[in-house]
Amino acid sequence: MPPDRAARAHLHSTAAKKMVMDDAPCRPSDLGLDAAILPALLVRLGAAIAGDLRRQFAADLTGLRDALRHSLGPPHDILAVARHAHGLVALAGTAGAHTLATRSRLLLRAAHRGDADATVRLAHPLLPCIDALAIFVATCPLPAGASP
Amino acid sequence: MSAARAHAPVTARRILLIEDTISLQMLYRSVIAATGFEVDVATTAEAGFAIFAATRPPIVLLDLLLPDRDGLALMQDMLNLHPAVRIVVITANGSINRAVEAMRAGAQDFLVKPVEEARLLLAIENALKGLAPPAKPRPAAPPPKTPPPRLATITGSDFVGSSDAMARVQAKILSVAQSMATVFITGESGTGKELCAQAVHRQSARAAGPFIALNCGAIPQDLLESEVFGHIKGSFTGAISDKPGAAAAADGGTLFLDEVCEMVPALQTKLLRFLQTSTVQPVGATRPRKVNVRIVCATNRDPLDAVRRGQFREDLYYRLYVVPIHMPPLRERADDMVEIAEAALARFAAEEGRSFTGLSPAVEDLFRNHPWPGNVRQLLNVIRNVVVLNEGGHVLPDMLPDDLFADHAAPTTAPPPPMPALPGLAGDSDILAGMTLAEVERRAVLGALSRHKGSVPRAARELDVAPSTLYRKLAAWGITPE
């Protein structure tokens, strides 16, 4: 198996296990991903930055997922939840995951109105979807000439 | 992240970007640098202010949610140090309150994440237009008593709502506003077509000119020609003085023709001639007059259907239908409902001298799941009703008008719609045997509604279709959404 495909398969299998282990799996409709948006963005930005940006984007998503899970507690840190939801709206929307962005916006609103129950209820289903999006980003095609 | 260069020369081609998410920082920086700007970046408020103080950039892009400090407080410090700086704030919190807060505090523009590249560059371009010539360095001055003048922007001033659908509408308005192209706005009643037309006008180079709105469906047909093209005194009974008409009154500005599909055929011919020649000839006048008018028109009907039915001239349709903008119905903008309601609540409460603190979560849920056949106009009427009839506090379900859910019972409390027992569809082809495709579809839709206790928006989400699609199908099947 070519290294890229092997890495992709490993990522998918690892993430699939995590998704089931942590929360209910992320359905495609939960993500609402337009898979053409991020590759097109990377092409527009150019080969010189595409590889680095893709790597950083995936790392930011993974870091945000861990931070969000941590902030859900205990102890529940609603200010941190708001901060991470804010970041997730932007990252998901930029990557073309429209439904995830919308659901993150609902989480952000719940955090802003101080509704701890709602933030927990809304945040948990997002976690596997952040994983799924990170996998998509990490394996998203790069423009010709870009180094992975 | 580039290092700050102490005492670097002030240049209009320099931007400071303060954003704590590294990948977004890389993205914005790359987009901006490609247009020839020098971009300094920072991930914290502290680092950002240090760079700002050292380099005095004319434009700052500022994320409002930073790890070490509130972005608005940082913005205030930057404006105090360098009042002429143009600050474009970026945030994922697209609430009307936050936008108003930022603009009142002196922000030049307010961008909602995710930010499209074109929108980002447009905000920078607008910020540049507002700058004094870069060759003249500006000495530090005390903070102005009023915020610096800024160009009108759509976000935060005209439209409420940060849904993807409205973001697309706003992007389209911004991209078309500067051209002379005719804009054709479609959408159901109450979706904000006139607001959209006003936004096109205000964002255009003719913003200083008049905006004349004419509702072709509300004016008696025999007066319509006179209303549009004017008349000369004595040209018909009742013409007791010269009247310029809407087309002439809009000279140098925008003429908005609402309900344009209601225009009688004879007047459609005159409108077509007007569009071809840019001249108006008032009733009774002997000479045409040249005018410079941009046309924006709107209808709540399907204009192509009106053409097919022979009610609207095909050649006029193609003249007018240059840049279509569709205003989405409120039921497809569930995310915007609460924002719109809260903005209206604040406005109406101020007008009526009441002190409301917001919507209760139960009311938010009711609003999100209501189909709003009258769209934003209906929602505003409901809020007005609540404000007038109640003293204040949180808006609770029992404050809502009794008839609001009369035709559309609340999905959270209503039983699921009447339907036969539904077999599962997946993995059992025998169950589907003998069914028509239409029956399979009907069962899938009703099954989803049953699982979501009659909530059309939730069922639509599961089925990955727009709620309006389900409403249409249910209406065709004679089922009233509950």
Side-chain angles (χ1 to χ4, degrees), chain B residues 360-401:
Chain B
S360 67
V363 168
E364 287 187 9
D365 282 347
L366 287 170
F367 279 6
R368 282 200 189 94
N369 290 299
H370 190 62
W372 297 109
N375 292 295
V376 178
R377 189 177 293 132
Q378 184 191 11
L379 176 57
L380 297 182
N381 288 344
V382 167
I383 299 296
R384 174 72 82 178
N385 182 301
V386 167
V387 170
V388 169
L389 297 179
N390 297 277
E391 286 305 314
H394 258 61
V395 177
L396 302 169
D398 60 5
M399 295 180 181
L400 300 176

Side-chain angles (χ1 to χ4, degrees), chain B residues 9-14 37 56-59 82 127-138:
Chain B
V10 173
T11 161
R13 304 298 292 179
R14 187 181 202 103
F37 280 92
R56 298 283 182 96
I59 299 173
H82 180 24
L128 268 180
K129 282 180 198 165
L131 288 171
K136 297 175 185 172
R138 287 176 291 281

Side-chain angles (χ1 to χ4, degrees), chain A residues 41-141:
Chain A
L41 176 65
L42 294 176
V43 167
R44 287 199 299 278
L45 293 177
I49 185 180
D52 286 344
L53 179 60
R54 186 181 73 168
R55 193 166 42 250
Q56 185 61 51
F57 210 116
D60 283 347
L61 279 167
T62 311
L64 194 146
R65 180 201 179 283
D66 293 343
L68 178 58
R69 175 173 279 286
H70 182 72
S71 62
L72 290 175
H76 186 68
D77 183 350
I78 204 161
L79 290 178
V81 172
R83 198 164 57 244
H84 304 319
H86 186 268
L88 188 54
V89 170
L91 288 174
T94 304
H98 300 304
T99 306
L100 179 59
T102 300
R103 294 163 71 211
S104 309
R105 208 171 275 125
L106 294 177
L107 173 62
L108 178 62
R109 282 198 200 125
H112 277 158
R113 62 172 188 265
D115 188 341
D117 290 343
T119 55
V120 171
R121 182 166 40 82
L122 292 167
H124 273 291
L126 300 186
L127 298 173
C129 290
I130 304 174
D131 269 342
L133 183 61
I135 291 167
F136 167 76
V137 170
T139 56
C140 165

Side-chain angles (χ1 to χ4, degrees), chain B residues 11-279:
Chain B
T11 161
R13 304 298 292 179
R14 187 181 202 103
I15 286 181
L16 170 59
L17 166 63
I18 307 176
E19 162 66 62
D20 64 324
T21 306
I22 302 294
S23 51
L24 295 179
Q25 190 189 85
M26 290 168 72
L27 170 61
Y28 302 151
R29 181 184 192 174
S30 177
V31 169
I32 299 164
T35 61
F37 280 92
E38 283 181 62
V39 186
D40 294 316
V41 293
T43 51
T44 63
E46 186 183 3
F49 191 74
I51 296 173
F52 179 80
T55 62
R56 298 283 182 96
I59 299 173
V60 175
L61 289 180
L62 174 64
D63 183 6
L64 281 190
L65 199 60
L66 294 167
D68 56 337
R69 199 175 173 208
D70 176 57
L72 284 184
L74 173 62
M75 182 169 83
Q76 209 54 65
D77 283 355
M78 289 194 286
L79 284 167
N80 287 342
L81 186 67
H82 180 24
V85 65
R86 298 289 159 152
I87 299 177
V88 176
V89 300
I90 312 178
T91 180
N93 178 7
S95 75
I96 187 71
N97 290 343
R98 195 66 169 156
V100 168
E101 207 180 346
M103 300 302 270
R104 279 186 183 156
Q108 157 81 19
D109 206 340
F110 183 87
L111 302 181
V112 178
K113 293 179 181 179
V115 184
E116 288 184 3
E117 295 143 86
R119 183 72 185 89
L120 177 63
L121 294 177
L122 183 69
I124 293 170
E125 189 184 316
N126 284 343
L128 268 180
K129 282 180 198 165
L131 288 171
K136 297 175 185 172
R138 287 176 291 281
K145 285 178 182 171
T146 54
R150 49 184 174 265
L151 298 178
T153 55
I154 292 179
T155 310
S157 60
D158 299 277
F159 289 108
V160 179
S162 52
S163 65
D164 294 341
M166 284 312 290
R168 282 193 291 275
V169 167
Q170 294 185 29
K172 201 157 188 181
I173 290 170
L174 286 168
S175 63
V176 74
Q178 295 301 321
S179 86
M180 262 295 279
T182 300
V183 176
F184 201 124
I185 306 165
T186 56
E188 295 175 11
S189 288
T191 49
K193 294 188 288 295
E194 181 160 354
L195 197 65
C196 176
Q198 288 170 344
V200 170
H201 173 70
R202 278 205 291 271
Q203 297 296 316
S204 74
R206 355 180 114 238
F211 174 86
I212 304 294
L214 200 64
N215 188 327
C216 303
I219 298 170
Q221 296 294 2
D222 52 347
L223 290 182
L224 198 50
E225 180 179 357
S226 164
E227 289 292 328
V228 178
F229 298 113
H231 62 248
I232 301 296
K233 180 182 177 183
S235 56
F236 54 86
T237 308
I240 55 172
S241 61
D242 287 356
K243 179 175 175 141
D251 195 8
T254 302
L255 176 60
F256 174 52
L257 298 173
D258 200 2
E259 308 297 357
V260 71
C261 287
E262 310 308 316
M263 199 177 263
V264 291
L267 196 60
Q268 290 179 28
T269 308
K270 294 200 172 189
L271 179 61
L272 182 64
R273 194 181 316 129
F274 166 59
L275 293 172
Q276 289 165 335
T277 63
S278 297
T279 60

